[in-house]
Amino acid sequence: MNKKYGAIFLCLCLISVNVLWAERFQFIYTAGDKYRFLSTVQEDVYINRVLSHQAEILNRISVTVSAVTNGVGRHEAVFQTSERSVGVGSGRTFQWSQEYNSVFDRDKFGAYTIGPSYYMPVVRNVPIFPDRDLQIGESWTAPGEEVHDFSTSFGIKEPYRIPFNATYTYLGKKNYNGTEYPAISISYRIFDEPKRVLGTIWPTRIMGASDQVMYWNQKLGQPAAYTEQFRIIMELSNGSTVEYRGSAKAETIEAKPMNREAVAQEIAADINAQGIKDTTVRVVPEGVTISLENIQFQADSALLLPSEKAKLDKIAEILKRYPDRDILVGGHTALAGTAEGRQKLSEERAAAVADYLIGQGARTSTRVVVRGYGAERPLADNSTEAGRQKNRRVEITLLEN
């Protein structure tokens, strides 16, 4: 074979290989499907170019596809965010931060239809797929949008929108946690000088970048996971700058539906058999709750008494029997002192219980969220000592996920 025909033969082989590895990407929806996504964000926050703080943010997202019409899925989703500080002296637990509900439609190519009042999802119309087979190395672009809740930080009451154009490249098969997936790189850059919006302060210039790799589950027609590096800088109307930089990763988590009544009965039987006092079990909308009533701490503190640690050792062993369920640890106080003091104490006591359970191996820290309720959810009458004892409690909820 001479060099000329050899070159032609090589080209034909390359074309053949490229066609062989071509993939078509589309979302697949089935009414009744449920998905759960867990994302973690490591973030550094700079104010006027000086490091303000470091945080780890945990986002739990549960989605139900309630209906499918002509390939468009109606999604009903709950987005729950929690956060913990990073650094010396920081605890292991994530404190509950915010919860959002959202309803949106998404077509098979990834395009959203969503009402203007929803804050979540933050990133929309990503990914967007073209209606064709894609070969390794092939790129395309599509518009997207970030939507942020700046109501607390900037006093901007409406969801704040930042448009961008994303560039996609099909990378071929890549490994994620030991499994090969079709992978796509997603990159976008932001430079915007937006119009003024109503708020105490507002962004006058926004610059940023996001670089992601998404791993696609062809069987499910959904992302399996993604990793991201990001940076966003905002110049504000008061002359200051705020910068967020960090990394993120997310993955789909599968969990079977919980038979709540059966789980509650099993746990109640265990508690009774082990003689764990002042502890009850009940079914709640979120899952199954174990209520540790009259839990004992040192006076006006979050330091557990030794007797309570023995009780928590037994509770930790019970929790280990349900390893696919995340847990919410909620702190509650009696009606005493100030509302601010009750809230702080309930958060600290819930965190103390959660930290102990994590230390006993009941869950890893990313599987636990802590929330303080103060005296907002009493179980009994706060005018009696018996009632106050019942209300001073920590509740551990096995979540439906």
Side-chain angles (χ1 to χ4, degrees):
M1 182 181 295
N2 63 36
K3 292 183 179 180
K4 176 181 177 182
Y5 290 110
I8 293 173
F9 178 76
L10 178 59
C11 288
L12 289 173
C13 287
L14 289 174
I15 292 169
S16 173
V17 170
N18 284 338
V19 171
L20 179 64
W21 286 102
E23 295 268 13
R24 180 177 290 262
F25 295 91
Q26 290 185 355
F27 284 89
I28 301 172
Y29 310 114
T30 302
D33 278 354
K34 296 178 184 291
Y35 304 97
R36 176 174 166 263
F37 303 95
L38 179 67
S39 79
T40 54
V41 180
Q42 306 283 344
E43 184 174 78
D44 297 340
V45 180
Y46 293 80
I47 306 295
N48 296 325
R49 300 184 180 181
V50 176
L51 181 64
S52 170
H53 62 276
Q54 298 173 296
E56 186 173 5
I57 301 165
L58 186 64
N59 300 301
R60 287 180 170 84
I61 306 163
S62 60
V63 181
T64 299
V65 179
S66 58
V68 180
T69 305
N70 297 325
V72 176
R74 168 62 56 92
H75 297 68
E76 298 181 10
V78 179
F79 297 78
Q80 188 267 316
T81 65
S82 52
E83 185 172 337
R84 66 180 176 187
S85 298
V86 176
V88 178
S90 301
R92 287 181 289 190
T93 57
F94 286 85
Q95 282 281 351
W96 183 93
S97 176
Q98 190 64 269
E99 186 169 291
Y100 301 88
N101 292 301
S102 185
V103 178
F104 57 91
D105 293 334
R106 189 169 58 190
D107 69 17
K108 62 183 179 180
F109 303 115
Y112 278 72
T113 302
I114 184 170
S117 64
Y118 291 113
Y119 287 101
M120 294 290 175
V122 170
V123 180
R124 301 174 185 179
N125 297 327
V126 172
I128 292 288
F129 299 124
D131 186 14
R132 65 177 187 273
D133 290 346
L134 295 167
Q135 298 181 30
I136 295 174
E138 188 170 353
S139 298
W140 67 100
T141 62
E145 180 181 58
E146 288 192 7
V147 179
H148 293 273
D149 182 357
F150 288 156
S151 58
T152 301
S153 54
F154 300 154
I156 298 173
K157 298 185 182 301
E158 300 296 325
Y160 192 87
R161 303 173 187 281
I162 305 172
F164 57 80
N165 281 307
T167 299
Y168 302 84
T169 301
Y170 174 37
L171 304 175
K173 297 290 183 68
K174 299 292 181 181
N175 184 284
Y176 182 84
N177 283 351
T179 301
E180 295 284 323
Y181 296 100
I184 295 171
S185 69
I186 306 170
S187 298
Y188 57 85
R189 302 293 181 262
I190 295 170
F191 184 88
D192 193 21
E193 294 181 334
K195 295 179 180 179
R196 176 179 176 176
V197 295
L198 292 176
T200 53
I201 55 178
W202 59 92
T204 57
R205 180 178 295 171
I206 304 170
M207 298 162 284
S210 171
D211 295 293
Q212 307 175 24
V213 175
M214 183 191 66
Y215 302 88
W216 186 256
N217 188 320
Q218 284 285 38
K219 182 178 178 181
L220 292 179
Q222 297 285 341
Y226 80 85
T227 59
E228 179 187 19
Q229 298 289 326
F230 67 87
R231 184 180 185 185
I232 186 167
I233 304 169
M234 287 184 287
E235 297 177 359
L236 304 176
S237 58
N238 63 357
S240 63
T241 63
V242 180
E243 179 179 354
Y244 306 90
R245 66 170 75 163
S247 62
K249 63 179 180 179
E251 58 186 32
T252 301
I253 306 296
E254 295 187 31
K256 296 179 181 178
M258 181 191 293
N259 186 335
R260 302 183 191 187
E261 295 292 345
V263 170
Q265 290 175 11
E266 290 169 1
I267 294 175
D270 280 342
I271 288 170
N272 184 59
Q274 297 188 57
I276 305 174
K277 296 182 179 180
D278 299 320
T279 304
T280 59
V281 183
R282 68 184 189 277
V283 173
V284 296
E286 296 81 11
V288 174
T289 291
I290 304 169
S291 184
L292 308 177
E293 298 166 4
N294 194 30
I295 188 164
Q296 299 295 302
F297 296 85
Q298 292 185 21
D300 298 319
S301 81
L303 295 174
L304 284 159
L305 294 181
S307 59
E308 300 306 306
K309 292 181 180 179
K311 179 189 292 185
L312 289 176
D313 287 340
K314 297 177 181 179
I315 296 297
E317 292 305 310
I318 292 175
L319 294 174
K320 290 177 185 178
R321 296 171 199 164
Y322 307 91
D324 59 339
R325 304 294 168 187
D326 292 354
I327 62 174
L328 168 67
V329 182
H332 303 263
T333 67
L335 190 60
T338 66
E340 182 179 351
R342 293 192 297 268
Q343 180 64 31
K344 184 174 184 293
L345 186 61
S346 67
E347 291 175 359
E348 290 175 346
R349 288 183 168 180
V353 169
D355 266 333
Y356 190 83
L357 293 172
I358 292 168
Q360 298 308 107
R363 290 295 186 278
T364 60
S365 61
T366 57
R367 304 286 305 281
V368 181
V369 170
V370 168
R371 185 173 184 182
Y373 297 92
E376 295 177 0
R377 299 185 179 185
L379 293 179
D381 188 351
N382 272 301
S383 66
T384 68
E385 180 55 31
R388 288 190 292 273
Q389 287 183 2
K390 196 174 185 69
N391 291 334
R392 285 193 293 266
R393 68 193 191 278
V394 172
E395 295 188 332
I396 302 162
T397 301
L398 285 164
L399 296 171
E400 174 65 37
N401 293 337

